[in-house]
Amino acid sequence: MRFIRRLAAIAVVATVVGALVGVAPASADTPERLVGTSAGRALDISLLGTKLSFGDATGTVNSALDPVAKAAGQVLPSLVGATSATTASGTAKDGETCGLPQLPDPVAGVLNLSVACSTSIANVLDGLKSTASNGYVTGLDLDAGALLELLGLPNVLADVPINQLTDPLQAALAPLTGPIADATGISVDKTVDTVEGLLKEILTVKTLEVDLGKATSAVTTTAGALTSVGTAEGATIKILPLTSTLGNTPLATITVGSSKATASYDRVAGKAVPSFDAALVTIDLAPGLGLGPLTHISLAPGQTQTILAGTPLQSTITVADGKTLSLPDGGVKALADGVSVELLQGLGATSPTAFDGGLAVRLAHSEAEVAGAPAETSPPQVLGVTALPRTGGTPWIPVAGLGILAIALIGRRASVRSAKG
């Protein structure tokens, strides 16, 4: 009997404690946060005060939103060949869309561009999101003769005495006369025919030819990582491809490599890391330009080179570098800045020595950004005896009932043992 009384006392205590002491539910979990974006741009142009942009691609993955991919063949001054894709599940694809670039006057009479195209894809599979997109214009040509005609240069030259024209012209074009004289027999002297012949040779051909690559964007989520990659493929620029004069060898060929920006977030370690590969540039000059053996030039990020200096075809190439940034929200960003090429600076310049004319081209810019934070779950908390009154029932009653039932079973067994003893 004494044993049974002790068990009853324990049951009473358990019941009271069960009524007054509770386990609070875990506080609201904080879900994982993921944000990734990337972008690439193939080409920016500035000509005759008009800004043009070609080959844009962007992508965004956000843990709270559906993934979005966008791209366009031409962005400024109008949107051409644009695509966009987003989805909550499965795959959404806006297939290759192309259109003819829309160029305003007077640029349309000077530049010739190929079609502008883009493609966009968004995907969600097993809760993992990704995007992919690209935009591009494959090439452009510049007609220097049309540019000079537009600027009224032939009319200006017609009013200039021949000796005032030929003296500075010979000095300005001196680096060009070697290969031209070797191939055609033309020599620069103070005769009208010679000047007109030389100008015709230079200005009636396709003066500038540019072959362009794509800009791409990709943001990918896996079980362990979020990775954003923006790329801008390279370009090949040919200045004055005088096929009749130089035997299919351009006066100068500028080859721009690809740029790449990457930002990765480790979902397990909760750490983001940016990186970049800036574009490299090589320049190949036709022989006989008075530069001696220097016909191949390599430029690393941060370097600048001027070629054909002092001539109407003077061109300056500046290779920008990349950089990485830490963002206020804990994320990171990588930038691979492109290449700036000031082409044909003497054409349409404000003065014979200004070299502020021609065509400004910016190539191969890319960027990538990621940010994230792991999910957080707070452990359950034990409340004290001063827990607030409950509403909606008394959840401690089942606990007390189980305690009393256990005591009854144990007490019955003890009674049976006593009777047998």
Side-chain angles (χ1 to χ4, degrees), residues 86-266:
T86 183
T87 183
S89 63
T91 300
K93 180 177 181 180
D94 197 352
E96 188 170 60
T97 301
C98 299
L100 292 175
Q102 303 297 310
L103 303 180
D105 292 330
V107 175
V110 178
L111 279 181
N112 299 310
L113 291 111
S114 63
V115 294
C117 303
S118 72
T119 303
S120 297
I121 301 173
N123 187 67
V124 179
L125 180 63
D126 297 330
L128 300 176
K129 304 175 182 180
S130 64
T131 65
S133 57
N134 66 68
Y136 62 93
V137 172
T138 56
L140 68 88
D141 301 327
L142 174 68
D143 186 342
L147 176 59
L148 294 181
E149 192 76 34
L150 180 66
L151 297 171
L153 189 58
N155 294 331
V156 173
L157 294 179
D159 298 331
V160 177
I162 191 64
N163 65 316
Q164 294 184 24
L165 173 64
T166 55
D167 287 344
L169 184 62
Q170 172 151 351
L173 297 181
L176 308 181
T177 58
I180 292 177
D182 293 341
T184 66
I186 296 176
S187 61
V188 178
D189 57 28
K190 298 178 182 180
T191 67
V192 174
D193 289 341
T194 299
V195 174
E196 289 180 349
L198 185 57
L199 287 175
K200 181 179 180 181
E201 178 71 24
I202 294 176
L203 300 179
T204 60
V205 298
K206 181 168 56 178
T207 310
L208 182 71
E209 178 182 313
V210 182
D211 296 323
L212 296 165
K214 296 180 180 180
T216 67
S217 166
V219 184
T220 305
T221 308
T222 65
L226 169 66
T227 305
S228 297
V229 180
T231 66
E233 296 179 5
T236 301
I237 303 171
K238 298 177 182 179
I239 299 176
L240 212 64
L242 298 175
T243 56
S244 64
T245 302
L246 299 176
N248 294 321
T249 301
L251 199 64
T253 300
I254 304 169
T255 303
V256 180
S258 299
S259 72
K260 181 178 180 181
T262 304
S264 300
Y265 173 74
D266 188 323

